[in-house]
Amino acid sequence: IAQVHFFRREVRDFRTAANHAIALNPRDSETLGVMGNMFTSIGDFERGPNLARRAMHLNPHHPDWFRFPLMFEHFQKGDYEGALEELARVNMPGFFWKPLYVAACCGLLGRQAEGAAAVQEDQRALGRAGRRADADVVVPVITSKRGQGLLQLRAQVLVLRRQHQLLAERLARLVDVEA
């Protein structure tokens, strides 16, 4: 039920259902990992990563996607090197989110060549996934807002049309390569 509320962007109902699921399954690493990712995606950079850490502690052979909340934790603090270190531990060939996040970190660190390579890897992974560029998809997106010289980063859930084409174009501009 928590996942339904999450994808409907019903944040208050998601929190209630997620907390209930966690209370019912406090030692289920899958529940903790999924809820950790979802809490992080709604911008709760304390609860999400803590749930992911707990899930990884309970299951030392956890899936690598449990690491994404930890990557976001570093990212939103402006620790892009730390975010890249977390991403380096993710072994999910062909999973298009990893190179997307690598490209974002590299762009913010000024590593254009590395970021450009990540954009190309992301486009190849996207092609293998067979996704349509105009599909409606609920995706976590890293957004930035500059204000008073500070870069404030947050993850939020957005419904995007032509999601990957638009993201690839934005990332390409970020790392100064052609989309």
Side-chain angles (χ1 to χ4, degrees):
I1 294 174
Q3 291 182 33
V4 170
H5 290 302
F6 173 82
F7 287 110
R8 285 182 166 178
R9 297 179 307 185
E10 299 165 351
V11 175
R12 187 169 29 123
D13 293 333
F14 160 72
R15 285 183 181 277
T16 301
N19 289 330
H20 186 70
I22 293 165
L24 289 173
N25 304 292
R27 297 189 51 77
D28 179 23
S29 64
E30 185 76 13
T31 298
L32 296 174
V34 169
M35 295 304 125
N37 270 280
M38 290 182 170
F39 271 106
T40 302
S41 292
I42 64 168
D44 191 334
F45 298 111
E46 185 174 328
R47 184 88 195 271
N50 286 337
L51 288 170
R53 279 188 199 86
R54 204 161 98 205
M56 290 188 291
H57 176 74
L58 289 170
N59 179 5
H61 303 290
H62 58 82
D64 284 352
W65 56 264
F66 280 20
R67 294 200 168 277
F68 287 116
L70 306 181
M71 182 277 302
F72 276 115
E73 180 180 45
H74 289 287
F75 193 98
Q76 65 90 23
K77 291 178 181 176
D79 177 13
Y80 311 120
E81 290 290 346
L84 284 172
E85 288 173 18
E86 283 300 331
L87 288 166
R89 296 173 154 188
V90 174
N91 182 19
M92 297 175 68
F95 185 64
F96 60 90
W97 286 117
K98 179 183 175 181
L100 183 71
Y101 298 146
V102 168
C105 292
C106 289
L108 290 164
L109 288 169
R111 298 181 188 174
Q112 282 77 18
E114 196 177 339
V119 168
Q120 290 174 348
E121 180 184 344
D122 180 59
Q123 290 171 340
R124 282 191 305 275
L126 186 63
R128 284 192 302 269
R131 301 230 186 255
R132 290 185 20 208
D134 62 346
D136 285 341
V137 182
V138 177
V139 296
V141 177
I142 300 169
T143 61
S144 66
K145 177 181 176 184
R146 292 195 185 272
Q148 301 175 356
L150 298 175
L151 181 61
Q152 301 169 344
L153 299 167
R154 60 190 171 96
Q156 61 184 359
V157 176
L158 299 174
V159 177
L160 299 176
R161 280 207 185 275
R162 299 175 52 217
Q163 50 90 0
H164 236 79
Q165 179 182 355
L166 296 173
L167 290 174
E169 290 170 3
R170 286 173 64 194
L171 285 173
R173 284 192 299 273
L174 184 65
V175 296
D176 198 30
V177 297
E178 290 186 31

